[in-house]
């Protein structure tokens, strides 16, 4: 299989395939050179991670962060990737940006290529082009912004139109740390998630609340879908999320 490397992480409006891969030195091994990753992930034995040449991964998946502008998608990504919070003035993402992180899931190194999308309407056509290759989508709203919550149904309609039918989907109510500015109750998010049959949790990029859990849960689901042993019990994303939140006490208001 040919070795591929990602284009340097930066804002881009290029077509998905071009933005994801480029051939390296033209060296081909087993497999089809330059082929796109199938939706159930691609196994690359002892292959270097695209995010760090010293990291290796066994399987890779594409995850997208979507939602209105200003809900905290970039901050959530930076918190997960770097363990930091982007304080200061809000700057909108222009087009598409991405970062990578390798997780150890049950002894398997899973690389998540996480795409941060612009929420503004003028970039929506660019975002649409990336939906079809996504293995998972994290849909965010801001608990201090009622409009961002009201727009979730429109986002879900868009996802159902452009994304793969079996895409992993999770709803996140971000900025849960902003207690005094909150206008969307946790129960409202739970109700909406239940209506659409998707897992739900509240997160905070500022404090780190549930950020790692959200990505870890998605990575576990994708890994089990792609590499499930017939003798293993079926992994249930809803049950895992609910169990982890209850055990940590983070589902309390």
């Amino acid at each position: 299989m040919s070795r591929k490397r990602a284009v340097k992480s930066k804002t881009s409006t290029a077509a998905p395939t071009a933005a994801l891969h480029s051939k390296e030195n033209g060296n081909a091994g087993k497999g089809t050179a330059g082929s796109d990753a199938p939706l159930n992930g691609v196994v690359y034995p002892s292959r270097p991670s695209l995010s760090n040449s010293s990291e290796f991964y066994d399987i890779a998946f594409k995850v997208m962060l979507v939602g209105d502008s200003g809900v905290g998608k970039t901050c959530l990504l930076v918190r997960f990737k770097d363990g930091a919070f982007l304080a200061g003035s809000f700057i909108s993402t222009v087009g598409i940006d991405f970062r990578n992180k390798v997780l150890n899931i049950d002894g398997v190194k899973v690389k998540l290529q996480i795409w941060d999308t612009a929420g503004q309407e003028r970039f929506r056509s660019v975002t649409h082009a990336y939906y079809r290759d996504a293995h998972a989508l994290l849909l965010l709203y801001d608990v201090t912004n009622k409009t961002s919550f009201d727009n979730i149904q429109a986002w879900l309609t868009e996802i159902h139109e452009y994304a793969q039918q079996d895409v992993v989907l999770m709803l996140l109510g971000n900025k849960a740390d902003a207690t005094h500015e909150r206008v969307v109750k946790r129960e409202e998010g739970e109700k909406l998630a239940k209506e659409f049959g998707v897992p739900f949790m509240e997160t905070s990029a500022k404090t780190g609340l549930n950020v790692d859990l959200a990505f870890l849960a998605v990575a576990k689901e994708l890994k089990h879908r792609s590499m499930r042993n017939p003798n293993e019990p079926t992994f249930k994303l809803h049950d895992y999320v609910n169990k982890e939140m209850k055990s940590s006490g983070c589902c309390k208001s």
Side-chain angles (χ1 to χ4, degrees):
M1 182 178 290
S2 64
R3 295 183 63 127
K4 304 173 185 176
R5 70 180 176 215
V7 174
K8 185 178 180 181
S9 175
K10 63 180 181 178
T11 301
S12 171
T13 56
T17 303
L20 279 169
H21 312 297
S22 64
K23 293 183 180 179
E24 178 177 325
N25 300 328
N27 296 326
K30 296 181 181 179
T32 304
S35 61
D36 291 333
L39 288 176
N40 63 343
V42 182
V43 176
Y44 297 128
S46 300
R47 188 184 181 100
S49 165
L50 303 184
S51 59
N52 186 328
S53 60
S54 65
E55 289 186 285
F56 290 83
Y57 64 90
D58 301 307
I59 192 166
F61 298 103
K62 177 180 174 182
V63 179
M64 285 183 64
L65 302 177
V66 294
D68 281 6
S69 178
V71 298
K73 298 186 294 294
T74 300
C75 288
L76 194 81
L77 175 54
V78 171
R79 166 61 72 177
F80 175 64
K81 176 63 173 65
D82 302 321
F85 176 64
L86 285 178
S89 302
F90 166 68
I91 301 176
S92 298
T93 299
V94 179
I96 299 284
D97 193 8
F98 75 89
R99 299 193 185 195
N100 303 287
K101 186 164 183 176
V102 176
L103 302 175
N104 190 319
I105 306 296
D106 304 323
V108 176
K109 291 187 178 296
V110 177
K111 180 176 76 68
L112 297 181
Q113 187 177 71
I114 309 160
W115 291 78
D116 180 17
T117 66
Q120 301 99 314
E121 183 66 33
R122 67 180 183 275
F123 294 117
R124 202 62 62 80
S125 60
V126 176
T127 303
H128 291 169
Y130 286 79
Y131 275 130
R132 66 178 180 271
D133 295 324
H135 301 99
L137 298 170
L138 297 181
L139 176 56
L140 281 72
Y141 67 88
D142 176 357
V143 301
T144 71
N145 184 331
K146 187 64 161 59
T147 300
S148 71
F149 178 74
D150 293 337
N151 287 340
I152 287 296
Q153 293 197 34
W155 280 102
L156 286 168
T157 299
E158 190 171 281
I159 288 169
H160 290 150
E161 180 177 355
Y162 293 101
Q164 294 291 329
Q165 191 171 19
D166 62 347
V167 69
V168 176
L169 180 61
M170 184 181 293
L171 179 64
L172 304 179
N174 198 33
K175 304 187 183 180
D177 60 279
T179 307
H180 299 296
E181 292 81 28
R182 177 189 286 270
V183 294
V184 181
K185 295 180 180 179
R186 177 174 54 81
E187 291 77 10
E188 293 179 86
E190 291 175 338
K191 181 180 178 181
L192 183 63
K194 186 175 182 179
E195 179 182 342
F196 286 94
V198 298
F200 167 77
M201 66 179 73
E202 289 193 339
T203 57
S204 169
K206 186 174 184 179
T207 67
L209 175 69
N210 290 338
V211 175
D212 287 348
L213 175 59
F215 287 98
L216 180 63
V218 166
K220 279 181 171 287
E221 171 69 14
L222 292 171
K223 179 263 181 185
H224 278 269
R225 284 190 183 189
S226 180
M227 305 177 70
R228 186 167 71 90
N229 187 311
N231 298 322
E232 288 182 337
T234 302
F235 179 79
K236 296 182 179 180
L237 182 58
H238 281 82
D239 293 346
Y240 175 78
V241 169
N242 292 335
K243 178 182 177 182
E244 291 298 312
M245 290 181 65
K246 287 180 181 178
S247 65
S248 64
C250 57
C251 56
K252 298 178 181 179
S253 299

